[in-house]
């Protein structure tokens, strides 16, 4: 039997990374009796080891709680910018949100980005100030920040400490009193939003849905409106957080369905599910295909692991349809895959999961973004994911690169070095305002400059105090060139990269110096060059190892030594022409991890 709609409250928790939202979710589950003390673990909604270790949420999770006769559906969403689309779908499934702000740290960049999304969905937002038990907590100052930066009234913000359990009942009462019940018509044709999906080895793909209108039942034939596919529902239920099977889900309810679907790729987040026999007139708004933003090559260190890598990537894709892959070969690294990711954190997570869960040793090439190239003489337009595939410069009319708008919050004393970092990365300053003792800087930056190591540099310059959030603002024309690296006159495709002409020389020189330290000496001289087309812009030379051929001469005429040295010289010349330079894998890994430290 479906729950009465006036007794349902759907809400999500939005916060910056590390502000305690997974811990707060744990306390709410414990208070409502979702799990006994014995079953309780820390971060109960984060089920991946990486999520628990890093303290981040990667997948949206949901749990149904009972409190004073009300049904509360809590959605724990990712806080990281890479998963912004998942967050937007989770928020679209709710009527309200708990805005969790750390009492010691105040409002941060991602808090802001997610709050604005929440406001766009017309949510009722309940501010919660967490970690009030900390000695450095300043709740009154944080209240003022919420009012000043976000513009939300904060006089009735709930003060709590998720760790010690202070204020949990007050939060639950505020959810019931302040968040409105959902709207929906049970007699209308079925319309449900696909919020998330994941692969379960026993059940197939489990689909998280929010019913807007109508009722979804076991045995019902449903249609996915954007995908155009039909499926028969074999299981309906909810999470408390353990699986509980139900006969149906009514309007306003959040739960899951399974329909013997084998691949997550068939269940696109944001799709509309309707009855096959009595379909809804139109799909829900806001659906979009998830696009990869960052691309890089993944190669096994041991060439024999290629098949294992192929199998592992295919299995990961079962559970995460947001990354793409296709096979590629490299003269230096052998067979591997070109993979597309939602962002740098997503890349790191996939790489770490492949290493851990499938015991693979991987080399990752330098991350690159998607460039749009317009060819001259009516040659059309193409998208470039891999610098090695760049067409001949004479055929290129213009190259466009993606740009982002970044919002950075930073304490005043680190502002100068942050501004310099953004200027060095070709940034355009849009805004600079002060909130309390912190500066809010808005910059437009090329994504190409951010994917290297911008985030790491930002954190090290500001000693971890700066917070950073961004969104894409489209492609713009740029003076971009392909910089290749040649070792002993041979191009090394895995090290080629697309850079702005203004920084190409500095980057090329840095790469050459780095490789000079990494490549071992051979018996002949090895030139390392960075080149744009046929023009060399930087060069380093690794000196030859010298074998003492005159050691056996003990006196006698000097011409004997001369003759031996000339013979050695001739041999080295020949060796340089025909000798091949072996670049060890460690040198590749170190060079590719280098980022830009110039």
């Amino acid at each position: 039997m479906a729950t009465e709609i006036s007794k349902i409250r759907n809400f999500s928790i939005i916060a910056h990374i590390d502000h305690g939202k997974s811990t707060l979710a744990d306390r709410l589950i414990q208070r409502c009796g979702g799990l006994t003390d014995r079953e309780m673990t820390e971060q109960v909604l984060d089920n991946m080891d990486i999520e628990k270790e890093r303290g981040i949420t990667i997948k949206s999770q949901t749990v149904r709680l009972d409190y004073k006769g009300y049904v509360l559906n809590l959605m724990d969403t990712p806080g990281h910018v890479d998963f912004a689309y998942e967050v937007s779908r989770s928020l679209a499934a709710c009527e309200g949100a708990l805005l969790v702000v750390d009492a010691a740290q105040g409002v941060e960049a991602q808090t802001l980005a997610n709050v604005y999304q929440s406001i766009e969905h017309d949510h009722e937002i309940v501010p919660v100030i967490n970690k009030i038990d900390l000695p450095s907590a300043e709740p009154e100052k944080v209240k003022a920040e919420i009012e000043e930066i976000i513009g939300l009234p904060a006089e009735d913000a709930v003060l709590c400490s998720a760790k010690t359990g202070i204020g949990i009942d007050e939060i639950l009462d505020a959810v019931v009193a302040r968040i409105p019940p959902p709207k929906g018509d049970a007699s209308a044709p079925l319309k449900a939003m696909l919020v998330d999906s994941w692969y379960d080895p026993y059940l197939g793909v489990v689909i998280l849905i929010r019913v807007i209108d109508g009722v979804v039942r076991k045995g019902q034939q449903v249609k996915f409106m954007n995908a155009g596919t039909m499926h028969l529902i074999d299981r309906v239920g909810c999470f408390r957080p353990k699986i509980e099977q139900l006969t149906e889900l009514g309007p306003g309810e959040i739960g899951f369905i399974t329909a013997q679907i084998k691949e997550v790729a068939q269940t696109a987040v944001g799709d509309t599910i309707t009855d096959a026999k009595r379909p809804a007139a139109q799909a829900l708004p806001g659906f979009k295909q998830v696009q990869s933003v960052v691309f890089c090559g993944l190669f096994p260190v041991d060439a024999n692991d290629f098949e294992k890598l192929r199998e592992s990537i295919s299995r990961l894709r079962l559970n995460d349809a947001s990354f793409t892959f296709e096979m590629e070969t490299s003269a230096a690294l052998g067979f591997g895959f070109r993979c597309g990711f939602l962002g740098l954190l997503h890349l790191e997570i996939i790489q770490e999961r492949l290493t851990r869960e499938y015991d693979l040793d991987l080399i990752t090439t330098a991350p690159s973004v998607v460039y749009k190239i317009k060819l001259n003489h009516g040659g059309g337009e193409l998208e470039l994911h891999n610098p090695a595939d760049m067409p001949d410069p004479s055929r290129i009319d213009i190259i466009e690169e993606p740009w982002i708008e970044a919002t950075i919050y930073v304490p005043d004393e680190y502002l100068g070095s942050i501004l310099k970092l953004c200027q060095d990365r070709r940034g355009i300053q849009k805004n600079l305002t002060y909130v309390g003792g912190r500066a809010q800087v808005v910059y437009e930056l090329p994504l190409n400059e951010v994917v290297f190591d911008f985030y790491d540099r930002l954190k090290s310059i500001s000693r971890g105090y700066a917070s950073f959030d961004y969104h894409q603002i489209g492609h713009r024309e740029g003076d971009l060139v392909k910089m290749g690296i040649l070792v002993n006159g041979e191009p090394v495709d895995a090290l080629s990269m697309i850079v702005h002409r203004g920084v190409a020389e500095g980057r090329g020189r840095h790469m050459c110096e780095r490789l000079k330290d990494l490549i071992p000496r051979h018996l002949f001289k090895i030139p390392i060059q960075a080149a744009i087309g046929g023009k060399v812009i930087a060069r380093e030379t690794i000196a030859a190892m010298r074998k003492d051929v005159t050691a056996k001469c003990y006196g006698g005429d000097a011409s004997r030594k001369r003759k031996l040295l000339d013979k050695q010289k001739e041999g080295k010349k020949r060796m340089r022409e025909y000798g091949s330079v072996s670049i060890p894998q460690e040198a590749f890994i170190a060079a590719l991890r280098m980022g830009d430290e110039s």
Side-chain angles (χ1 to χ4, degrees), residues 199-206 234-235 243 245 256 258-261:
Y199 184 76
D200 182 287
Y202 302 106
L203 306 176
V205 175
V206 180
D234 60 9
R235 203 178 266 99
I243 286 181
Q245 293 207 38
F256 74 87
T258 63
Q260 294 182 353
I261 300 169

Side-chain angles (χ1 to χ4, degrees), residues 144-166:
E145 267 189 26
I146 291 172
E147 290 186 354
E148 197 178 332
I149 301 173
I150 302 170
L152 285 175
E155 67 273 1
D156 49 0
V158 184
L159 302 182
C160 82
S161 162
K163 197 172 179 183
T164 57
I166 301 166

Side-chain angles (χ1 to χ4, degrees), residues 152-194:
L152 285 175
E155 67 273 1
D156 49 0
V158 184
L159 302 182
C160 82
S161 162
K163 197 172 179 183
T164 57
I166 301 166
I168 299 299
D169 282 8
E170 287 83 343
I171 291 172
L172 290 164
D173 290 336
V175 166
V176 169
R178 289 160 63 178
I179 291 175
K183 298 181 179 75
D185 180 1
S187 58
L190 172 65
K191 198 187 268 188
M193 183 200 286
L194 197 160

Side-chain angles (χ1 to χ4, degrees), residues 2-119:
T3 314
E4 190 190 324
I5 199 161
S6 62
K7 295 284 187 187
I8 299 173
R9 298 288 183 273
N10 297 327
F11 68 100
S12 63
I13 303 181
I14 52 178
H16 187 75
I17 296 168
D18 245 8
H19 278 207
K21 67 174 188 247
S22 292
T23 313
L24 178 61
D26 290 353
R27 291 294 87 76
L28 296 174
I29 291 167
Q30 214 169 355
R31 170 65 186 82
C32 297
L35 290 172
T36 63
D37 289 347
R38 185 174 61 80
E39 293 168 314
M40 206 60 206
T41 59
E42 284 202 11
Q43 292 163 262
V44 74
L45 291 182
D46 291 342
N47 38 20
M48 281 188 239
D49 289 343
I50 300 174
E51 289 184 310
K52 293 196 176 185
E53 278 170 31
R54 292 188 174 211
I56 56 173
T57 300
I58 297 165
K59 296 291 288 175
S60 300
Q61 301 288 340
T62 179
V63 62
R64 180 183 288 206
L65 305 170
D66 294 317
Y67 180 72
K68 295 184 178 174
Y70 288 88
V71 170
L72 312 182
N73 287 307
L74 154 66
M75 305 195 77
D76 187 18
T77 57
H80 199 276
V81 62
D82 286 5
F83 308 109
Y85 177 61
E86 250 184 51
V87 175
S88 81
R89 295 302 85 205
S90 298
L91 293 178
C94 300
E95 281 73 40
L98 293 180
L99 166 65
V100 179
V101 183
D102 187 322
Q105 304 219 331
V107 175
E108 308 238 18
Q110 270 166 18
T111 317
L112 213 59
N114 291 347
V115 164
Y116 288 151
Q117 272 199 336
S118 199
I119 291 168

Side-chain angles (χ1 to χ4, degrees), residues 8 11 58 109 125 165 185 202 212 273 279 283-284 360 379 381 410 421 423 446 487 512 570 575-577 585:
I8 299 173
F11 68 100
I58 297 165
I125 298 172
D185 180 1
Y202 302 106
I212 310 291
I273 299 171
L284 295 164
L360 284 162
E381 189 178 55
V410 61
L421 175 69
Q423 291 302 133
V487 177
C512 289
E570 199 57 42
M575 204 187 269
R576 187 166 160 222
E577 279 175 28
Q585 297 285 27

Side-chain angles (χ1 to χ4, degrees), residues 270-305:
D271 207 338
T272 306
I273 299 171
T274 189
D275 193 313
K277 296 188 181 73
R278 184 173 164 234
Q282 65 204 67
L284 295 164
F287 173 76
K288 66 173 194 234
Q289 289 289 352
V290 177
Q291 296 289 321
S292 298
V293 173
V294 175
F295 288 81
C296 82
L298 290 179
F299 294 87
V301 167
D302 181 354
N304 298 329
D305 283 344

Side-chain angles (χ1 to χ4, degrees), residues 346-522:
H346 190 213
L347 183 158
E348 241 179 272
I349 286 161
I350 296 286
Q351 191 188 341
E352 199 163 321
R353 287 187 67 186
L354 284 169
T355 308
R356 272 193 193 186
E357 296 173 26
Y358 301 99
D359 195 24
L360 284 162
D361 211 354
L362 297 174
I363 298 174
T364 315
T365 63
S368 69
V369 295
V370 184
Y371 299 94
K372 288 184 177 169
I373 296 179
K374 290 184 178 156
L375 302 172
N376 46 27
H377 310 309
E381 189 178 55
L382 57 98
E383 282 194 348
L384 182 72
H385 297 169
N386 188 348
D389 300 336
M390 186 147 166
D392 190 283
S394 60
R395 294 176 53 212
I396 296 172
D397 185 18
I398 53 173
I399 304 179
E400 293 182 346
E401 60 179 334
W403 279 65
I404 59 166
E405 185 175 273
T407 307
I408 300 168
Y409 275 90
V410 61
D412 201 18
E413 63 261 37
Y414 305 112
L415 180 64
S417 36
I418 297 287
L419 293 179
K420 183 179 182 306
L421 175 69
C422 293
Q423 291 302 133
D424 290 348
R425 300 298 172 96
R426 301 191 280 132
I428 302 164
Q429 190 176 321
K430 286 305 204 193
N431 199 358
L432 173 59
T433 49
Y434 281 90
V435 182
R438 289 190 304 165
Q440 178 192 346
V441 197
V442 179
Y443 257 93
E444 286 180 357
L445 290 153
L447 186 59
N448 174 9
E449 300 285 345
V450 175
V451 296
F452 261 118
D453 60 344
F454 182 83
Y455 191 65
D456 296 344
R457 305 271 295 169
L458 183 82
K459 286 290 183 193
S460 58
I461 286 170
S462 65
R463 298 193 183 166
Y465 284 111
S467 64
F468 168 73
D469 191 82
Y470 69 85
H471 62 269
Q472 288 203 346
I473 52 173
H475 281 68
R476 293 182 190 174
E477 189 182 337
D479 185 10
L480 300 164
V481 290
K482 175 186 168 185
M483 183 180 78
I485 300 291
L486 294 93
V487 177
N488 202 21
E490 291 292 319
V492 181
D493 56 349
L495 296 178
S496 60
M497 58 176 85
I498 293 173
V499 292
H500 190 267
R501 200 182 291 275
V503 299
E505 195 180 321
R507 248 193 215 166
R509 193 178 308 114
H510 188 67
M511 190 66 128
C512 289
E513 286 169 5
R514 187 77 181 238
L515 283 170
K516 184 185 176 185
D517 296 337
L518 294 167
I519 297 174
R521 287 168 69 184
H522 287 54

